[in-house]
Amino acid sequence: MGSRIGRLLLSYILAFSFLVTLATTAFILFSDYKRGVSSYDQSITQIRSSYLDSISYSLWNFDIPQLESQLIGILNFPGVAYVFIESSDGTIFSAGDVMQGADTRHDIELTYRSSGREYSLGTLFIDLDYADLYSELQSKAINILLTQFVKTFSVSIFILFIINRLLTRRLQRMSHWADQFSLKHLDQALEIPAAHTKADELDDVVNAINHMRQTLQQDVVREQQATLELETTKERLAIAIDNAALGFCEYHLEQDKFDANSHFASQLGLTSPELEQLKHPMDVLLNALTGSEATEQRERLHQLLYGRIPRVSDTYQLLNQRQQLCYFDITFQITGYQDNRPTSILICMVDKTHETISSQQAQELNINLENRVAKRTEELYDEQMRAKLALQRVTQQLERCQAALHNQRHSDLSRLLLEELDAHFDPQQQAQLDIFQQYLRISISDDTSTMDLAFHLAQWMEQLSTLSAEQKTVQLPLSLVLEENPRIFQFMMDLLIPTEAMAVTQNLRVTMSTDGLQGKITVLQSLTEPYFDQRRYALASFIAENRLQGGLSKNWHGNDLSIELTFGLAQISY
């Protein structure tokens, strides 16, 4: 490949250089020729100005030696080969080689003026020979041609070397890679030696080829995946058609033959061999149609067979070859044409017999059910009226129970207050009476608002100055917002953990959690000796049950007292 390109390129370069050299050489030689001819013309002009008068004078005086000397002097001018004078009386004086050829001849009239009169003495003839000019031009042409040839050949060899280094070797590598290129060897990248550090056009071509190879490789992978998916889809479709009991058939009009699967044959009440041997199968299928819409359906299928409509899909009633009434969803689709006439029709048949029969039975059952429902509705209406009367009686009983419960709650509070008032004159019970008075003030004011219980519990724990930070542990959620009087919960905590109990408390742990419907506050006290105020606990239990919609429980583990306070998350003011 490299040698062919080299020879062709060398021939083109040499031919073009030869033409350019010929043109430039011809121009140079023509210019030199014009200069030489011009110099010869200048010699004639110089002869006219320098020798014409002296020659005329010598010829007038018949000074033959002087005249010959002057003619020999004219021979010294460039290109003058022969010179002679032909006088008016026929005498000829000459100098030079008369046998040497002359390329051009100049004649000059010789005259002499004497006493105001001009006399014609004869004619001076000068023969110019361009042989020296031609010889000089030939020598120069040979030198120019040789010099241009050597220069052109040297430049061509250098250009071939550069082309071989920049192009030929890399093109040979690309040709070798292209010969071995195939879809089975797409992993092999095209690599060529770099001509220099900067990328050139061939490097761009290599990058484009490698990019094309990668794209082709990706396309091949996608095509393989698509082929595999197509094969998988075909297998799944075949399995799905077989499992779905889909009747599948292709009707060839020219052969008047069904090419169907076993499901299609069984749906017509035939076996596959019987269907293959069936004559005029489409007529058999059309004659099997029955029902109120059979005539219209046959007309549409005849239009399909004539190619007037491309597709027909409907629900058909068929009386199969076993004289069984069946229901099918059938689709007829033209898949091939010739001269605008159908050649093949695809038929897909789905058996809907069981569904249709079941639907009919369901309709009958629905009618029976509607009748029963109507009858039962009347019965239920009578029962509803009776239940409404019973509900009114139950509602009245519930109202009486709620009133009794309300009275009972007030009776419990009254009982607690009565017990405290009975002990009013006991100085030791004065503090307990103050607690009841504090609760009554809170209840009467009832400053219910939106509060963050977690924040208030944290503040309450910080106010316990009798315990150090190491003795107090709090585990609370980030926030717990509800509608309640903040003073109620602070009062409850003061009831459950009185100041007297703090004197014998080693550690205090308060945690709070929720379960979606209720919240729970757990207080765990580690005491140096058992301490418990039953009166405070009774009031706290009353508040938890009647106001906070919850409850209160306690449990002893040695000197450790655990109290759990539950409360409703949707609080209603008391």
Side-chain angles (χ1 to χ4, degrees):
M1 177 179 175
S3 61
R4 293 195 298 271
I5 291 179
R7 288 195 300 270
L8 184 62
L9 186 60
L10 180 61
S11 63
Y12 286 159
I13 293 175
L14 291 177
F16 182 74
S17 299
F18 178 72
L19 294 176
V20 173
T21 301
L22 285 181
T24 56
T25 303
F27 177 75
I28 293 172
L29 293 179
F30 180 74
S31 299
D32 291 345
Y33 174 76
K34 296 293 287 183
R35 283 195 299 270
V37 172
S38 177
S39 66
Y40 288 172
D41 293 339
Q42 290 177 1
S43 297
I44 299 300
T45 302
Q46 188 176 358
I47 290 172
R48 285 178 181 274
S49 61
S50 301
Y51 284 86
L52 188 60
D53 292 339
S54 61
I55 291 175
S56 297
Y57 180 76
S58 298
L59 184 61
W60 176 263
N61 293 321
F62 294 100
D63 190 357
I64 303 303
Q66 180 66 26
L67 187 60
E68 293 178 350
S69 175
Q70 290 172 344
L71 293 178
I72 292 173
I74 292 175
L75 291 176
N76 292 326
F77 281 91
V80 178
Y82 178 68
V83 60
F84 68 95
I85 299 173
E86 185 177 355
S87 64
S88 57
D89 57 0
T91 305
I92 297 176
F93 303 94
S94 64
D97 188 3
V98 69
M99 300 302 295
Q100 186 175 356
D103 293 306
T104 184
R105 174 174 286 180
H106 295 270
D107 54 339
I108 303 172
E109 293 293 330
L110 299 176
T111 60
Y112 184 75
R113 182 177 293 276
S114 176
S115 300
R117 184 179 177 182
E118 186 174 297
Y119 300 92
S120 176
L121 302 179
T123 304
L124 175 65
F125 294 94
I126 302 173
D127 292 341
L128 296 179
D129 184 12
Y130 291 170
D132 292 338
L133 178 60
Y134 292 154
S135 177
E136 182 181 354
L137 293 176
Q138 183 179 4
S139 177
K140 181 176 287 188
I142 292 174
N143 290 333
I144 291 174
L145 291 175
L146 288 177
T147 303
Q148 292 295 327
F149 176 77
V150 172
K151 183 183 71 174
T152 302
F153 189 77
S154 301
V155 171
S156 301
I157 295 298
F158 181 73
I159 291 174
L160 288 178
F161 171 76
I162 296 300
I163 290 176
N164 181 66
R165 181 173 180 82
L166 294 179
L167 297 177
T168 306
R169 291 190 303 166
R170 302 164 77 188
L171 290 175
Q172 288 176 347
R173 179 69 64 86
M174 294 172 66
S175 175
H176 179 70
W177 180 86
D179 290 337
Q180 296 180 348
F181 177 78
S182 66
L183 295 179
K184 297 181 180 179
H185 300 88
L186 291 176
D187 294 333
Q188 184 178 358
L190 172 59
E191 296 178 356
I192 61 174
H196 42 78
T197 56
K198 292 184 64 177
D200 54 15
E201 287 78 3
L202 277 183
D203 294 325
D204 295 339
V205 172
V206 170
N207 294 332
I209 291 175
N210 285 326
H211 179 70
M212 179 190 68
R213 177 188 59 81
Q214 295 174 356
T215 304
L216 183 60
Q217 187 177 15
Q218 295 173 359
D219 292 341
V220 169
V221 172
R222 284 195 292 267
E223 183 179 359
Q224 292 176 351
Q225 293 177 351
T227 302
L228 181 60
E229 292 177 358
L230 180 59
E231 294 296 331
T232 304
T233 303
K234 287 182 178 179
E235 294 177 0
R236 292 177 178 175
L237 182 59
I239 294 173
I241 291 175
D242 188 64
N243 291 335
L246 176 64
F248 189 81
C249 172
E250 187 171 11
Y251 174 55
H252 303 281
L253 277 77
E254 294 181 356
Q255 293 84 10
D256 194 16
K257 181 180 178 181
F258 277 168
D259 185 8
N261 61 358
S262 57
H263 295 300
F264 188 85
S266 62
Q267 288 168 352
L268 294 181
L270 299 171
T271 62
S272 296
E274 291 174 346
L275 183 63
E276 294 177 356
Q277 297 175 1
L278 192 64
K279 295 182 179 180
H280 307 299
M282 181 57 74
D283 294 338
V284 173
L285 179 60
L286 294 178
N287 293 330
L289 296 179
T290 185
S292 59
E293 300 179 358
T295 302
E296 182 180 354
Q297 291 173 344
R298 288 193 188 95
E299 180 61 26
R300 287 180 58 81
L301 291 177
H302 282 299
Q303 293 179 3
L304 175 77
L305 293 174
Y306 285 107
R308 296 174 183 172
I309 53 178
R311 183 176 182 272
V312 174
S313 180
D314 202 350
T315 301
Y316 297 85
Q317 296 183 34
L318 270 76
L319 195 63
N320 64 14
Q321 298 300 312
R322 299 189 184 95
Q323 300 302 312
Q324 297 173 341
L325 181 61
C326 302
Y327 299 88
F328 298 98
D329 284 343
I330 307 177
T331 300
F332 298 85
Q333 176 72 52
I334 299 176
T335 57
Y337 288 90
Q338 184 176 1
D339 298 332
N340 295 327
R341 295 297 299 272
T343 57
S344 60
I345 298 175
L346 183 65
I347 305 174
C348 294
M349 183 183 296
V350 179
D351 190 355
K352 295 292 183 179
T353 303
H354 296 294
E355 292 84 345
T356 305
I357 294 176
S358 299
S359 177
Q360 293 174 353
Q361 293 176 352
Q363 290 179 357
E364 295 176 357
L365 292 175
N366 188 30
I367 294 173
N368 295 332
L369 183 61
E370 289 178 355
N371 295 331
R372 293 181 182 180
V373 167
K375 182 179 179 180
R376 182 58 180 165
T377 301
E378 294 177 357
E379 296 175 353
L380 289 177
Y381 178 76
D382 295 338
E383 293 179 359
Q384 183 181 6
M385 297 304 295
R386 291 193 294 271
K388 187 175 181 180
L389 297 175
L391 181 60
Q392 291 178 353
R393 291 193 294 270
V394 171
T395 302
Q396 294 174 357
Q397 294 177 0
L398 180 59
E399 291 176 353
R400 289 193 294 270
C401 291
Q402 288 178 347
L405 179 60
H406 182 73
N407 295 331
Q408 180 66 33
R409 290 177 177 175
H410 281 278
S411 298
D412 293 340
L413 179 60
S414 300
R415 178 181 54 80
L416 292 174
L417 291 174
L418 182 60
E419 291 177 358
E420 296 302 326
L421 292 174
D422 291 340
H424 176 68
F425 298 102
D426 188 355
Q428 296 179 356
Q429 301 297 328
Q430 182 63 36
Q432 192 71 17
L433 185 59
D434 293 339
I435 291 174
F436 276 87
Q437 291 175 346
Q438 183 179 357
Y439 172 67
L440 290 176
R441 292 189 184 96
I442 294 174
S443 298
I444 292 171
S445 62
D446 199 11
D447 298 329
T448 301
S449 62
T450 302
M451 61 170 292
D452 187 350
L453 182 58
F455 173 75
H456 286 283
L457 285 180
Q459 280 191 333
W460 180 82
M461 287 291 290
E462 291 178 357
Q463 293 173 359
L464 297 179
S465 58
T466 56
L467 297 178
S468 63
E470 291 79 7
Q471 293 176 310
K472 296 183 291 184
T473 303
V474 181
Q475 185 175 355
L476 304 174
L478 293 177
S479 66
L480 180 60
V481 178
L482 67 160
E483 295 290 332
E484 187 52 86
N485 188 349
R487 297 170 59 193
I488 286 293
F489 281 96
Q490 184 175 1
F491 180 73
M492 288 290 292
M493 298 303 295
D494 291 337
L495 285 178
L496 298 177
I497 308 174
T499 304
E500 295 80 1
M502 298 302 298
V504 295
T505 300
Q506 289 182 329
N507 292 295
L508 177 63
R509 178 181 177 87
V510 178
T511 62
M512 183 170 63
S513 61
T514 62
D515 60 358
L517 298 177
Q518 281 191 327
K520 181 172 70 174
I521 299 176
T522 303
V523 179
L524 179 62
Q525 285 181 278
S526 296
L527 306 173
T528 57
E529 60 184 41
Y531 178 86
F532 183 73
D533 191 335
Q534 181 61 36
R535 293 179 180 271
R536 290 173 177 263
Y537 182 81
L539 179 59
S541 179
F542 173 82
I543 297 172
E545 293 176 0
N546 293 277
R547 172 150 186 150
L548 300 181
Q549 309 298 322
L552 191 66
S553 63
K554 66 178 185 300
N555 191 13
W556 284 95
H557 297 281
N559 289 337
D560 294 339
L561 175 61
S562 176
I563 300 176
E564 289 187 358
L565 169 63
T566 59
F567 54 91
L569 294 181
Q571 293 295 332
I572 301 177
S573 299
Y574 181 74

mmCIF file with all atom_site columns, all heavy atoms in Angstrom, residues 170 192-207:
data_model
loop_
_atom_site.group_PDB
_atom_site.id
_atom_site.type_symbol
_atom_site.label_atom_id
_atom_site.label_alt_id
_atom_site.label_comp_id
_atom_site.label_asym_id
_atom_site.label_entity_id
_atom_site.label_seq_id
_atom_site.pdbx_PDB_ins_code
_atom_site.Cartn_x
_atom_site.Cartn_y
_atom_site.Cartn_z
_atom_site.occupancy
_atom_site.B_iso_or_equiv
_atom_site.pdbx_formal_charge
_atom_site.auth_seq_id
_atom_site.auth_comp_id
_atom_site.auth_asym_id
_atom_site.auth_atom_id
_atom_site.pdbx_PDB_model_num
ATOM 1   N N   . ARG A 1 170 ? 1.043   4.369  9.386  1.00 0.00 ? 170 ARG A N   1
ATOM 2   C CA  . ARG A 1 170 ? -0.175  4.383  10.187 1.00 0.00 ? 170 ARG A CA  1
ATOM 3   C C   . ARG A 1 170 ? -1.362  3.853  9.390  1.00 0.00 ? 170 ARG A C   1
ATOM 4   O O   . ARG A 1 170 ? -2.223  3.156  9.921  1.00 0.00 ? 170 ARG A O   1
ATOM 5   C CB  . ARG A 1 170 ? -0.438  5.799  10.671 1.00 0.00 ? 170 ARG A CB  1
ATOM 6   C CG  . ARG A 1 170 ? 0.746   6.340  11.487 1.00 0.00 ? 170 ARG A CG  1
ATOM 7   C CD  . ARG A 1 170 ? 0.690   7.833  11.662 1.00 0.00 ? 170 ARG A CD  1
ATOM 8   N NE  . ARG A 1 170 ? -0.284  8.209  12.682 1.00 0.00 ? 170 ARG A NE  1
ATOM 9   C CZ  . ARG A 1 170 ? -0.626  9.465  12.912 1.00 0.00 ? 170 ARG A CZ  1
ATOM 10  N NH1 . ARG A 1 170 ? -0.107  10.439 12.185 1.00 0.00 ? 170 ARG A NH1 1
ATOM 11  N NH2 . ARG A 1 170 ? -1.516  9.742  13.856 1.00 0.00 ? 170 ARG A NH2 1
ATOM 12  N N   . ILE A 1 192 ? -2.534  3.173  16.602 1.00 0.00 ? 192 ILE A N   1
ATOM 13  C CA  . ILE A 1 192 ? -1.496  3.461  15.618 1.00 0.00 ? 192 ILE A CA  1
ATOM 14  C C   . ILE A 1 192 ? -0.405  4.268  16.304 1.00 0.00 ? 192 ILE A C   1
ATOM 15  O O   . ILE A 1 192 ? -0.665  4.985  17.278 1.00 0.00 ? 192 ILE A O   1
ATOM 16  C CB  . ILE A 1 192 ? -2.066  4.242  14.413 1.00 0.00 ? 192 ILE A CB  1
ATOM 17  C CG1 . ILE A 1 192 ? -2.643  5.583  14.865 1.00 0.00 ? 192 ILE A CG1 1
ATOM 18  C CG2 . ILE A 1 192 ? -3.117  3.424  13.691 1.00 0.00 ? 192 ILE A CG2 1
ATOM 19  C CD1 . ILE A 1 192 ? -3.085  6.457  13.709 1.00 0.00 ? 192 ILE A CD1 1
ATOM 20  N N   . PRO A 1 193 ? 0.840   4.154  15.816 1.00 0.00 ? 193 PRO A N   1
ATOM 21  C CA  . PRO A 1 193 ? 1.917   4.922  16.441 1.00 0.00 ? 193 PRO A CA  1
ATOM 22  C C   . PRO A 1 193 ? 1.712   6.412  16.247 1.00 0.00 ? 193 PRO A C   1
ATOM 23  O O   . PRO A 1 193 ? 1.285   6.862  15.173 1.00 0.00 ? 193 PRO A O   1
ATOM 24  C CB  . PRO A 1 193 ? 3.173   4.417  15.724 1.00 0.00 ? 193 PRO A CB  1
ATOM 25  C CG  . PRO A 1 193 ? 2.685   3.863  14.432 1.00 0.00 ? 193 PRO A CG  1
ATOM 26  C CD  . PRO A 1 193 ? 1.321   3.306  14.722 1.00 0.00 ? 193 PRO A CD  1
ATOM 27  N N   . ALA A 1 194 ? 1.986   7.163  17.271 1.00 0.00 ? 194 ALA A N   1
ATOM 28  C CA  . ALA A 1 194 ? 1.816   8.610  17.198 1.00 0.00 ? 194 ALA A CA  1
ATOM 29  C C   . ALA A 1 194 ? 2.939   9.228  16.388 1.00 0.00 ? 194 ALA A C   1
ATOM 30  O O   . ALA A 1 194 ? 4.110   8.878  16.545 1.00 0.00 ? 194 ALA A O   1
ATOM 31  C CB  . ALA A 1 194 ? 1.780   9.216  18.597 1.00 0.00 ? 194 ALA A CB  1
ATOM 32  N N   . ALA A 1 195 ? 2.566   10.151 15.475 1.00 0.00 ? 195 ALA A N   1
ATOM 33  C CA  . ALA A 1 195 ? 3.579   10.824 14.660 1.00 0.00 ? 195 ALA A CA  1
ATOM 34  C C   . ALA A 1 195 ? 4.302   11.894 15.470 1.00 0.00 ? 195 ALA A C   1
ATOM 35  O O   . ALA A 1 195 ? 5.491   12.124 15.286 1.00 0.00 ? 195 ALA A O   1
ATOM 36  C CB  . ALA A 1 195 ? 2.922   11.445 13.431 1.00 0.00 ? 195 ALA A CB  1
ATOM 37  N N   . HIS A 1 196 ? 3.602   12.539 16.358 1.00 0.00 ? 196 HIS A N   1
ATOM 38  C CA  . HIS A 1 196 ? 4.184   13.561 17.221 1.00 0.00 ? 196 HIS A CA  1
ATOM 39  C C   . HIS A 1 196 ? 3.265   13.716 18.419 1.00 0.00 ? 196 HIS A C   1
ATOM 40  O O   . HIS A 1 196 ? 2.281   12.993 18.561 1.00 0.00 ? 196 HIS A O   1
ATOM 41  C CB  . HIS A 1 196 ? 4.388   14.882 16.479 1.00 0.00 ? 196 HIS A CB  1
ATOM 42  C CG  . HIS A 1 196 ? 3.223   15.247 15.599 1.00 0.00 ? 196 HIS A CG  1
ATOM 43  N ND1 . HIS A 1 196 ? 2.062   15.772 16.084 1.00 0.00 ? 196 HIS A ND1 1
ATOM 44  C CD2 . HIS A 1 196 ? 3.069   15.122 14.258 1.00 0.00 ? 196 HIS A CD2 1
ATOM 45  C CE1 . HIS A 1 196 ? 1.222   15.986 15.101 1.00 0.00 ? 196 HIS A CE1 1
ATOM 46  N NE2 . HIS A 1 196 ? 1.795   15.590 13.966 1.00 0.00 ? 196 HIS A NE2 1
ATOM 47  N N   . THR A 1 197 ? 3.619   14.626 19.276 1.00 0.00 ? 197 THR A N   1
ATOM 48  C CA  . THR A 1 197 ? 2.891   14.757 20.544 1.00 0.00 ? 197 THR A CA  1
ATOM 49  C C   . THR A 1 197 ? 1.475   15.275 20.339 1.00 0.00 ? 197 THR A C   1
ATOM 50  O O   . THR A 1 197 ? 0.551   14.865 21.026 1.00 0.00 ? 197 THR A O   1
ATOM 51  C CB  . THR A 1 197 ? 3.646   15.703 21.481 1.00 0.00 ? 197 THR A CB  1
ATOM 52  O OG1 . THR A 1 197 ? 3.840   16.961 20.811 1.00 0.00 ? 197 THR A OG1 1
ATOM 53  C CG2 . THR A 1 197 ? 5.002   15.123 21.856 1.00 0.00 ? 197 THR A CG2 1
ATOM 54  N N   . LYS A 1 198 ? 1.278   16.178 19.365 1.00 0.00 ? 198 LYS A N   1
ATOM 55  C CA  . LYS A 1 198 ? -0.056  16.722 19.126 1.00 0.00 ? 198 LYS A CA  1
ATOM 56  C C   . LYS A 1 198 ? -0.845  15.804 18.208 1.00 0.00 ? 198 LYS A C   1
ATOM 57  O O   . LYS A 1 198 ? -0.296  15.215 17.273 1.00 0.00 ? 198 LYS A O   1
ATOM 58  C CB  . LYS A 1 198 ? 0.047   18.118 18.498 1.00 0.00 ? 198 LYS A CB  1
ATOM 59  C CG  . LYS A 1 198 ? 0.614   19.167 19.440 1.00 0.00 ? 198 LYS A CG  1
ATOM 60  C CD  . LYS A 1 198 ? 0.614   20.548 18.799 1.00 0.00 ? 198 LYS A CD  1
ATOM 61  C CE  . LYS A 1 198 ? -0.791  21.020 18.526 1.00 0.00 ? 198 LYS A CE  1
ATOM 62  N NZ  . LYS A 1 198 ? -0.830  22.376 17.975 1.00 0.00 ? 198 LYS A NZ  1
ATOM 63  N N   . ALA A 1 199 ? -2.153  15.708 18.504 1.00 0.00 ? 199 ALA A N   1
ATOM 64  C CA  . ALA A 1 199 ? -3.016  14.853 17.685 1.00 0.00 ? 199 ALA A CA  1
ATOM 65  C C   . ALA A 1 199 ? -3.265  15.506 16.329 1.00 0.00 ? 199 ALA A C   1
ATOM 66  O O   . ALA A 1 199 ? -3.392  16.723 16.220 1.00 0.00 ? 199 ALA A O   1
ATOM 67  C CB  . ALA A 1 199 ? -4.345  14.606 18.403 1.00 0.00 ? 199 ALA A CB  1
ATOM 68  N N   . ASP A 1 200 ? -3.301  14.670 15.281 1.00 0.00 ? 200 ASP A N   1
ATOM 69  C CA  . ASP A 1 200 ? -3.581  15.157 13.942 1.00 0.00 ? 200 ASP A CA  1
ATOM 70  C C   . ASP A 1 200 ? -4.881  14.546 13.437 1.00 0.00 ? 200 ASP A C   1
ATOM 71  O O   . ASP A 1 200 ? -5.642  13.923 14.189 1.00 0.00 ? 200 ASP A O   1
ATOM 72  C CB  . ASP A 1 200 ? -2.413  14.848 12.999 1.00 0.00 ? 200 ASP A CB  1
ATOM 73  C CG  . ASP A 1 200 ? -2.061  13.364 13.007 1.00 0.00 ? 200 ASP A CG  1
ATOM 74  O OD1 . ASP A 1 200 ? -2.884  12.560 13.496 1.00 0.00 ? 200 ASP A OD1 1
ATOM 75  O OD2 . ASP A 1 200 ? -0.980  13.007 12.516 1.00 0.00 ? 200 ASP A OD2 1
ATOM 76  N N   . GLU A 1 201 ? -5.144  14.718 12.119 1.00 0.00 ? 201 GLU A N   1
ATOM 77  C CA  . GLU A 1 201 ? -6.398  14.246 11.543 1.00 0.00 ? 201 GLU A CA  1
ATOM 78  C C   . GLU A 1 201 ? -6.518  12.731 11.610 1.00 0.00 ? 201 GLU A C   1
ATOM 79  O O   . GLU A 1 201 ? -7.620  12.193 11.813 1.00 0.00 ? 201 GLU A O   1
ATOM 80  C CB  . GLU A 1 201 ? -6.521  14.719 10.092 1.00 0.00 ? 201 GLU A CB  1
ATOM 81  C CG  . GLU A 1 201 ? -6.827  16.204 9.934  1.00 0.00 ? 201 GLU A CG  1
ATOM 82  C CD  . GLU A 1 201 ? -5.611  17.085 10.146 1.00 0.00 ? 201 GLU A CD  1
ATOM 83  O OE1 . GLU A 1 201 ? -4.510  16.520 10.365 1.00 0.00 ? 201 GLU A OE1 1
ATOM 84  O OE2 . GLU A 1 201 ? -5.742  18.322 10.113 1.00 0.00 ? 201 GLU A OE2 1
ATOM 85  N N   . LEU A 1 202 ? -5.388  12.008 11.418 1.00 0.00 ? 202 LEU A N   1
ATOM 86  C CA  . LEU A 1 202 ? -5.451  10.537 11.507 1.00 0.00 ? 202 LEU A CA  1
ATOM 87  C C   . LEU A 1 202 ? -5.792  10.086 12.919 1.00 0.00 ? 202 LEU A C   1
ATOM 88  O O   . LEU A 1 202 ? -6.521  9.106  13.103 1.00 0.00 ? 202 LEU A O   1
ATOM 89  C CB  . LEU A 1 202 ? -4.118  9.923  11.067 1.00 0.00 ? 202 LEU A CB  1
ATOM 90  C CG  . LEU A 1 202 ? -3.921  9.743  9.557  1.00 0.00 ? 202 LEU A CG  1
ATOM 91  C CD1 . LEU A 1 202 ? -2.601  9.062  9.279  1.00 0.00 ? 202 LEU A CD1 1
ATOM 92  C CD2 . LEU A 1 202 ? -5.053  8.947  8.948  1.00 0.00 ? 202 LEU A CD2 1
ATOM 93  N N   . ASP A 1 203 ? -5.270  10.812 13.918 1.00 0.00 ? 203 ASP A N   1
ATOM 94  C CA  . ASP A 1 203 ? -5.647  10.486 15.296 1.00 0.00 ? 203 ASP A CA  1
ATOM 95  C C   . ASP A 1 203 ? -7.136  10.719 15.504 1.00 0.00 ? 203 ASP A C   1
ATOM 96  O O   . ASP A 1 203 ? -7.807  9.934  16.195 1.00 0.00 ? 203 ASP A O   1
ATOM 97  C CB  . ASP A 1 203 ? -4.840  11.340 16.285 1.00 0.00 ? 203 ASP A CB  1
ATOM 98  C CG  . ASP A 1 203 ? -3.353  10.997 16.248 1.00 0.00 ? 203 ASP A CG  1
ATOM 99  O OD1 . ASP A 1 203 ? -3.038  9.812  16.046 1.00 0.00 ? 203 ASP A OD1 1
ATOM 100 O OD2 . ASP A 1 203 ? -2.537  11.909 16.402 1.00 0.00 ? 203 ASP A OD2 1
ATOM 101 N N   . ASP A 1 204 ? -7.670  11.790 14.888 1.00 0.00 ? 204 ASP A N   1
ATOM 102 C CA  . ASP A 1 204 ? -9.117  12.016 14.979 1.00 0.00 ? 204 ASP A CA  1
ATOM 103 C C   . ASP A 1 204 ? -9.878  10.880 14.311 1.00 0.00 ? 204 ASP A C   1
ATOM 104 O O   . ASP A 1 204 ? -10.928 10.439 14.801 1.00 0.00 ? 204 ASP A O   1
ATOM 105 C CB  . ASP A 1 204 ? -9.478  13.351 14.330 1.00 0.00 ? 204 ASP A CB  1
ATOM 106 C CG  . ASP A 1 204 ? -8.868  14.533 15.073 1.00 0.00 ? 204 ASP A CG  1
ATOM 107 O OD1 . ASP A 1 204 ? -8.533  14.364 16.262 1.00 0.00 ? 204 ASP A OD1 1
ATOM 108 O OD2 . ASP A 1 204 ? -8.716  15.613 14.458 1.00 0.00 ? 204 ASP A OD2 1
ATOM 109 N N   . VAL A 1 205 ? -9.372  10.406 13.148 1.00 0.00 ? 205 VAL A N   1
ATOM 110 C CA  . VAL A 1 205 ? -10.028 9.281  12.466 1.00 0.00 ? 205 VAL A CA  1
ATOM 111 C C   . VAL A 1 205 ? -9.982  8.033  13.333 1.00 0.00 ? 205 VAL A C   1
ATOM 112 O O   . VAL A 1 205 ? -10.975 7.290  13.447 1.00 0.00 ? 205 VAL A O   1
ATOM 113 C CB  . VAL A 1 205 ? -9.359  9.024  11.101 1.00 0.00 ? 205 VAL A CB  1
ATOM 114 C CG1 . VAL A 1 205 ? -9.890  7.743  10.476 1.00 0.00 ? 205 VAL A CG1 1
ATOM 115 C CG2 . VAL A 1 205 ? -9.586  10.195 10.166 1.00 0.00 ? 205 VAL A CG2 1
ATOM 116 N N   . VAL A 1 206 ? -8.824  7.776  13.984 1.00 0.00 ? 206 VAL A N   1
ATOM 117 C CA  . VAL A 1 206 ? -8.695  6.604  14.860 1.00 0.00 ? 206 VAL A CA  1
ATOM 118 C C   . VAL A 1 206 ? -9.666  6.703  16.018 1.00 0.00 ? 206 VAL A C   1
ATOM 119 O O   . VAL A 1 206 ? -10.346 5.730  16.375 1.00 0.00 ? 206 VAL A O   1
ATOM 120 C CB  . VAL A 1 206 ? -7.238  6.478  15.355 1.00 0.00 ? 206 VAL A CB  1
ATOM 121 C CG1 . VAL A 1 206 ? -7.146  5.424  16.447 1.00 0.00 ? 206 VAL A CG1 1
ATOM 122 C CG2 . VAL A 1 206 ? -6.326  6.123  14.198 1.00 0.00 ? 206 VAL A CG2 1
ATOM 123 N N   . ASN A 1 207 ? -9.757  7.908  16.619 1.00 0.00 ? 207 ASN A N   1
ATOM 124 C CA  . ASN A 1 207 ? -10.704 8.079  17.728 1.00 0.00 ? 207 ASN A CA  1
ATOM 125 C C   . ASN A 1 207 ? -12.139 7.876  17.264 1.00 0.00 ? 207 ASN A C   1
ATOM 126 O O   . ASN A 1 207 ? -12.963 7.260  17.959 1.00 0.00 ? 207 ASN A O   1
ATOM 127 C CB  . ASN A 1 207 ? -10.539 9.471  18.331 1.00 0.00 ? 207 ASN A CB  1
ATOM 128 C CG  . ASN A 1 207 ? -9.190  9.666  19.002 1.00 0.00 ? 207 ASN A CG  1
ATOM 129 O OD1 . ASN A 1 207 ? -8.603  8.685  19.477 1.00 0.00 ? 207 ASN A OD1 1
ATOM 130 N ND2 . ASN A 1 207 ? -8.696  10.884 19.049 1.00 0.00 ? 207 ASN A ND2 1
#
